[in-house]
Amino acid sequence: MSEPCLTVIVAAFNEQQTIEACVRRVFAVYPDDCELLVVDGGSDGTRDVVSRLSDDFPLLRYIHNDNDRGKGHAIRTGIEAAQSNVMAQIDADLQFLPEELPQLIEPIRADQADVTLGSRFLSDSVRRKGSTPWFRSLGNKTASGYASILFGHRMTDVQAGMKAWTRQAAQVINLKSDNYSYEVEIPVKALRAGLRVIDVPITTDARQGGKTNVNVVYDGIPLLRDITLFRLGWK
C-alpha cells in the first residue's frame, strides 16, 4: 500500500457517542488516501466502535494512549505514529467539520504554509448557534492576542482544535506539552523557527456529544504562563 497523502489525528477521551460519525465523515472526504489515527485515552466503548469500523476502513488505526497525560500527549503520540508527510488534527466531538479539512490542507499543498490554524474568528468564519460560549471566546481571543503580540504575528484562534502541519514542521517544533498548551506551542514554536503559519476560516458547530474537559480559568492561566515561557525559549 502506498503512503497516505494525509494523516488525520483524533485525540479521543470517552467519545463513544460521536467517534463513528467523525470517522465516517473524514473518510467521506478522503475515501482512499487518508490515514486516520484515533488516539484514545478514555475508558468507554470508543475502542470497540473503532475496531468495528476498521473492517470498512483499512486506513483507520486505533491507538490506546497508555498513561494518558492530556490532549497534548495524545497529539504527540499521533505524530509519532503518523505515516504521512502532512498531518492534521480534528476533535471527535464534531465541533469542527471534517468536510473542511481540504481547505485547511490546501495552503500546505500549495507550498504557502508549513502550519495552518483553523480559526473561528476570521471574517469568513462561521459560528453556528451553541458552538462557542462567550466566555470561551473571550479566553481564546485573550490567549491569541497575547501570543500574537509576543511573537509579532497575528493569530486569531490559537486554541481551535483543528490544525495542520508538515512532518518537517513537527520535527522542528518538537512538541513537549502534555496539556492544552500544545495548541499554542505548535504555531509559536513554528514562528520561532521561521516557519510559515497562517489562519484559515472554519465553521464551528455545537458539540454533537460528550462534554468538554476544558476549564477556562484552570486551563487558561497555565496557557498564558506557557506562552511566555515559549517566547523566552524556556520551554
Side-chain angles (χ1 to χ4, degrees):
M1 183 179 295
S2 61
E3 179 184 284
C5 75
L6 173 68
T7 296
V8 175
I9 302 169
V10 177
F13 192 88
N14 295 337
E15 301 288 359
Q16 179 181 350
Q17 287 180 285
T18 58
I19 192 64
E20 178 167 357
C22 180
V23 167
R24 290 189 180 279
R25 287 171 63 176
V26 170
F27 281 119
V29 178
Y30 294 103
D32 302 315
D33 52 3
C34 172
E35 171 188 47
L36 177 54
L37 307 181
V38 177
V39 184
D40 180 28
S43 58
D44 68 352
T46 297
R47 181 174 196 156
D48 295 334
V49 174
V50 175
S51 296
R52 171 171 54 82
L53 291 171
S54 64
D55 292 336
D56 295 329
F57 304 108
L59 289 175
L60 173 62
R61 295 168 58 196
Y62 176 89
I63 300 173
H64 180 63
N65 198 25
D66 294 316
N67 188 30
D68 178 72
R69 298 194 295 273
K71 191 176 179 183
H73 181 218
I75 296 297
R76 190 165 67 248
T77 299
I79 290 172
E80 291 170 356
Q83 297 180 10
S84 174
N85 287 323
V86 179
M87 307 170 204
Q89 71 164 87
I90 193 168
D91 290 347
D93 60 22
L94 296 173
Q95 280 190 294
F96 306 104
L97 311 187
E99 294 78 11
E100 294 186 341
L101 281 168
Q103 66 197 48
L104 194 71
I105 302 303
E106 178 55 31
I108 294 176
R109 295 272 185 235
D111 195 27
Q112 297 170 347
D114 304 293
V115 175
T116 57
L117 312 177
S119 175
R120 294 163 283 191
F121 305 114
L122 291 170
S123 59
D124 293 335
S125 303
V126 176
R127 283 183 285 163
R128 296 175 179 172
K129 184 177 180 180
S131 63
T132 312
W134 68 267
F135 53 90
R136 291 281 298 276
S137 295
L138 178 61
N140 292 338
K141 290 179 179 180
T142 299
S144 298
Y146 184 56
S148 297
I149 291 170
L150 289 191
F151 286 86
H153 180 89
R154 183 173 181 259
M155 295 173 282
T156 57
D157 193 3
V158 293
Q159 290 181 275
M162 192 171 181
K163 294 179 173 65
W165 54 85
T166 64
R167 179 177 297 278
Q168 182 180 11
Q171 292 170 343
V172 169
I173 293 164
N174 191 21
L175 197 62
K176 298 295 186 182
S177 299
D178 287 335
N179 61 7
Y180 286 104
S181 293
Y182 91 92
E183 296 273 26
V184 70
E185 182 179 1
I186 290 173
V188 300
K189 282 191 173 179
L191 289 169
R192 205 169 69 189
L195 300 181
R196 299 163 298 173
V197 178
I198 67 170
D199 287 7
V200 175
I202 57 173
T203 300
T204 322
D205 207 347
R207 289 181 65 94
Q208 302 301 298
K211 61 181 181 179
T212 182
N213 294 308
V214 178
N215 181 288
V216 173
V217 176
Y218 179 80
D219 295 307
I221 292 174
L223 178 64
L224 295 175
R225 175 204 64 202
D226 288 344
I227 292 172
T228 306
L229 294 178
F230 293 142
R231 184 65 186 91
L232 294 171
W234 293 353
K235 189 171 180 178

